[in-house]
Amino acid sequence: MTATRLDGKLFAGRVRERVADEVTKLKSEQGITPGLAVVLVGEDPASQVYVRSKGKQTIEAGMNSYEHKLDEQTSEADLLSLIDRLNNDAAVHGILVQLPLPKHMNETAVINAIAPAKDVDGFHISNVGRLNTSQKSMVPCTPLGCLLMLRDHHGDLSGLNAVVIGRSNIVGKPMAQLLLNESCTVTIAHSRTKDLPDVIGRADIVVAAVGRPEMIQGDWLKKGATVIDVGINRIEVQNADGTVKNRLVGDVDYASAEKIAGAITPVPGGVGPMTIACLLANTITACCRANGIEPPKDLGV
Ligand code: NAD
């Protein structure tokens, strides 16, 4: 039997619809329009694409989008003063500073200048600490997207063995913490882990956030495991006529994994589309909290 394909594109569409419903409710019942400010410094082409996409989806959900595009040479002091203005602007409920920042800026200082309640990326040290102590926090978008997909598929995650491969601050660590908060038994594997196939073979849930194309093989998996592939890797493949084209693949070898797994996210079309959907969901959460309203449970933790 082949694994159930967990369609992130479809699911992200459902999350965005839920967000749009909440926006309509906030507007009609409270007279509030949620607002998301995105700050881009410099001309990094990938960042420009992300920011455009974020702005478009924010507007489609009925929210206000405030884009601030700053020159590559902008000083850190000027960026911090913009963040200060956004922190104090009541129409702005979420602030996202697109990473990476130019080299002359201190990324940590910039992130920690964002008001924690508006930190929709969940990278502020106060939100990291709050998540790790099971307090109300803003949760990083990609791990939140993975969790929403896991909850949608499994319902209750309590007691399941979960292995997160990767220990980055933006994916691996918050993912492991979210799963721990769901009462999973969590193992974090990384580049120094000995016998990765053995570690993965005990997992009911595998979350791969490594950045190595098709590294995780199907025969490493426990039969029926749920596999969430966060990896986005661009590889070159040869066409029959000898020409070369680019293809996106995950960290998991999908072809062998779908024969063993119970469910698996594809790449592309799995976790990827969930990240912006969760950014919009986090903006709703931040907006509700700022106005003393209980945020919708299904859009957060
Ligand atoms: P990172 O480079 O910061 O971290 C990679 C982690 O993988 C490290 O903790 C490292 O210890 C671990 N690792 C490296 N080699 C390993 C090996 N051989 N065995 C086991 N572990 C190993 O990467 P990141 O920012 O966490 O991103 C991981 C992947 O997820 C990348 O492909 C990235 O493009 C993708 N990503 C996708 C989204 C999205 O879908 N929206 C968002 C963020 C990251």
Side-chain angles (χ1 to χ4, degrees):
M1 240 179 47
T2 54
T4 304
R5 189 171 176 277
L6 300 176
D7 189 334
K9 209 170 154 192
L10 199 74
F11 192 67
R14 267 165 54 204
V15 172
R16 288 197 304 271
E17 272 171 30
R18 279 283 297 115
V19 167
D21 288 347
E22 290 297 325
V23 174
T24 306
K25 236 167 70 184
L26 283 165
K27 281 181 179 171
S28 64
E29 291 174 13
Q30 312 282 342
I32 302 164
T33 304
L36 171 64
V38 176
V39 181
L40 172 65
V41 188
E43 316 253 293
D44 179 70
S47 295
Q48 285 178 325
V49 173
Y50 290 139
V51 167
R52 212 174 305 130
S53 196
K54 283 167 186 168
K56 185 168 166 274
Q57 293 187 35
T58 305
I59 290 163
E60 278 169 4
M63 301 199 236
N64 287 330
S65 167
Y66 308 101
E67 272 184 30
H68 296 268
K69 293 188 176 154
L70 307 182
D71 191 82
E72 177 92 28
Q73 309 306 329
T74 301
S75 69
E76 188 176 307
D78 283 348
L79 174 60
L80 291 175
S81 100
L82 170 62
I83 291 173
D84 188 48
R85 265 191 289 133
L86 298 173
N87 283 343
N88 291 297
D89 184 342
V92 173
H93 303 99
I95 303 169
L96 180 146
V97 176
Q98 183 66 46
L99 302 178
L101 287 169
K103 290 200 173 22
H104 65 278
M105 291 191 180
N106 178 339
E107 230 163 66
T108 307
V110 170
I111 289 165
N112 288 337
I114 299 169
K118 296 191 179 189
D119 167 38
V120 280
D121 247 345
F123 296 158
H124 190 290
I125 187 64
S126 148
N127 280 317
V128 176
R130 285 174 160 273
L131 175 64
N132 287 7
T133 47
S134 309
Q135 297 179 65
K136 207 155 62 178
S137 67
M138 297 307 303
V139 177
C141 302
T142 301
L144 177 60
C146 297
L147 181 71
L148 295 187
M149 291 184 86
L150 282 166
R151 274 194 194 153
D152 184 59
H153 182 66
H154 280 273
D156 187 13
L157 302 175
S158 169
L160 295 177
N161 279 338
V163 171
V164 178
I165 313 146
R167 56 177 162 180
S168 71
N169 290 335
I170 62 164
V171 191
K173 282 185 206 156
M175 185 74 243
Q177 192 59 51
L178 283 170
L179 290 165
L180 189 59
N181 291 354
E182 297 286 319
S183 299
C184 290
T185 302
V186 183
T187 303
I188 305 177
H190 47 76
S191 53
R192 304 289 177 92
T193 296
K194 291 191 174 116
D195 202 352
L196 189 59
D198 179 63
V199 173
I200 290 175
R202 283 181 261 131
D204 304 305
I205 294 171
V206 176
V207 181
V210 185
R212 294 190 185 261
E214 300 175 322
M215 181 187 88
I216 293 150
Q217 299 299 307
D219 61 8
W220 299 2
L221 299 168
K222 177 175 166 181
K223 196 154 183 54
T226 300
V227 180
I228 305 288
D229 192 351
V230 184
I232 301 177
N233 310 290
R234 201 172 291 277
I235 59 166
E236 289 190 344
V237 287
Q238 207 160 22
N239 294 316
D241 63 4
T243 55
V244 170
K245 66 172 175 191
N246 280 324
R247 193 158 72 89
L248 282 188
V249 297
D251 291 338
V252 179
D253 177 40
Y254 191 92
S256 62
E258 73 167 345
K259 295 189 182 112
I260 310 288
I264 182 167
T265 59
V267 177
V271 175
M274 287 298 291
T275 298
I276 299 183
C278 286
L279 173 67
L280 305 182
N282 274 348
T283 307
I284 294 289
T285 299
C287 177
C288 286
R289 285 181 185 158
N291 289 283
I293 303 163
E294 187 63 34
K297 287 204 167 37
D298 60 329
L299 294 179
V301 291

